[in-house]
Amino acid sequence: MSTKVAVVTGSNKGIGLAIVRALCKQYQGVVYLTSRDEGRGQEAVASMASEGLKPMFHQLDINDLSSITAAAAYFKDKYGGVDVLVNNAGIAFKGADTTPFAVQAEVTLKTNFFATRDMLTHFLPIVKAGGRVVNVSSFVGQRALTQCSPELQKRFRSEDITEDELVGLMQQFVDATKKNEHKQGGWPETAYGVSKTGLTTLTMILARQLTKERPSDKILLNACCPGWVRTDMAGDKAPKSPDEGAITPVYLALLPAGATDPHGKFVSDKEVQAW
Ligand code: NAP
């Protein structure tokens, strides 16, 4: 049998690193810690080694298309593809950040939505039969959905929204913030929230597509919320440790062979959430 391989984006620290730690302990295969910065990645690998864990390393900056395609080519070439992909890399401006909202919108959607979509575009074709794909989204995206206009909510919840339509809507939000017209356009005042609304909706679209186009591969693709977790992003007042935050993403990454659900769902505390 060929070697199984799991890849976690943005895993040099925070929840991503905790996902790598858990996979190193629980996954019957090779685990790749990836980081946009080689130095920070190698340091994280060394920290895992000090715990007796042995992840492999590959550079991966999801904002850099050539980094994504190089990594995808590497995994295809070396392992024939990947078995588990966790799209964890993400960013958030701090509440107190004074960067203009339009800039926050562009930068946040670039990583959390558009770059994560680039990952899915280039990695889904190399996810092997029986593969598991997890997009680390957020309850903030679920809340942002309820703050959108009824028309937008209807589209994000519809079964017939296409990837192109969703990409157009996400771009519409970014463009509207530049003219300060996003509120009139029915959007909430949260760039991070909208980016995660987009990511969860994208997960649902691509899951339907997988079911339709590769039914025999039985790949399970889900979005999840790790909970509110003590990391550089969320600060030290959050109730969950990174290891606790990793529980739901790892549960979805390790759904047993033959499982048929959840698929195309938003999952929190291992439970499928209403969307
Ligand atoms: P974090 O501690 O700030 O870690 C974020 C990770 O993503 C870092 O490794 C960062 O790398 C990496 N990253 C950012 N941009 C990247 C890029 N372009 N390419 C590759 N890696 C990139 O945040 P976290 O709290 O662990 O968050 C992990 C995920 O959970 C995010 O998607 C976040 O939105 C989600 N989430 C977190 C919470 C929470 O309470 N913490 C709640 C809900 C959802 P660098 O070190 O190089 O910056």
Side-chain angles (χ1 to χ4, degrees):
M1 223 171 77
S2 63
T3 307
K4 297 239 181 217
V5 58
V7 178
V8 185
T9 69
S11 51
N12 51 286
K13 67 176 185 179
I15 297 164
L17 183 63
I19 294 171
V20 164
R21 177 183 292 115
L23 288 176
C24 282
K25 292 177 182 170
Q26 298 174 47
Y27 186 58
Q28 303 293 319
V30 181
V31 181
Y32 272 82
L33 183 159
T34 71
S35 169
R36 56 178 158 183
D37 181 86
E38 174 97 30
R40 286 196 288 276
Q42 295 293 3
E43 260 177 50
V45 169
S47 82
M48 291 285 95
S50 72
E51 296 178 26
L53 304 172
K54 295 191 177 73
M56 305 278 278
F57 175 74
H58 201 282
Q59 192 275 344
L60 181 50
D61 179 348
I62 69 165
N63 282 353
D64 175 359
L65 201 53
S66 65
S67 173
I68 292 180
T69 54
Y74 169 85
F75 290 114
K76 173 82 183 152
D77 194 46
K78 193 166 162 85
Y79 301 99
V82 303
D83 298 280
V84 170
L85 171 65
V86 183
N87 283 308
N88 164 80
I91 60 155
F93 283 82
K94 301 282 180 220
D97 198 305
T98 55
T99 305
F101 187 63
V103 176
Q104 296 201 15
E106 180 146 44
V107 171
T108 306
L109 268 82
K110 165 71 192 151
T111 297
N112 295 1
F113 179 75
F114 291 103
T116 306
R117 173 178 177 248
D118 288 338
M119 273 299 297
L120 290 157
T121 303
H122 292 277
F123 272 75
L124 274 187
I126 65 159
V127 171
K128 294 189 203 167
R132 306 287 182 248
V133 182
V134 185
N135 293 331
V136 181
S137 190
S138 173
F139 58 90
V140 181
Q142 199 182 25
R143 193 167 60 207
L145 172 70
T146 65
Q147 295 165 346
C148 286
S149 66
E151 294 76 24
L152 283 172
Q153 289 190 39
K154 204 167 154 208
R155 291 317 296 147
F156 291 130
R157 292 192 174 112
S158 76
E159 299 257 321
D160 63 3
I161 184 171
T162 63
E163 191 175 348
D164 282 349
E165 182 185 349
L166 176 64
V167 167
L169 286 172
M170 290 292 114
Q171 193 56 51
Q172 222 177 70
F173 169 71
V174 173
D175 293 344
T177 63
K178 292 184 181 150
K179 296 182 245 156
N180 198 21
E181 286 174 358
H182 51 287
K183 275 194 195 141
Q184 293 105 291
W187 297 99
E189 191 74 16
T190 161
Y192 180 79
V194 170
S195 74
K196 296 294 193 180
T197 305
L199 179 57
T200 302
T201 306
L202 179 65
T203 307
M204 293 171 174
I205 293 169
L206 295 177
R208 283 192 286 268
Q209 218 162 288
L210 278 173
T211 304
K212 202 167 148 214
E213 293 168 8
R214 296 170 63 184
S216 59
D217 283 351
K218 302 194 185 326
I219 294 164
L220 298 178
L221 164 59
N222 289 289
C224 70
C225 179
W228 187 20
V229 182
R230 287 187 299 277
T231 61
D232 287 348
M233 180 184 287
D236 55 12
K237 293 194 175 61
K240 283 190 181 180
S241 68
D243 289 334
E244 288 166 337
I247 290 174
T248 293
V250 169
Y251 154 74
L252 292 171
L254 300 182
L255 286 168
T260 53
D261 66 281
H263 176 53
K265 298 289 194 279
F266 176 64
V267 179
S268 184
D269 285 330
K270 296 191 185 177
E271 299 279 348
V272 172
Q273 304 296 306
W275 182 247

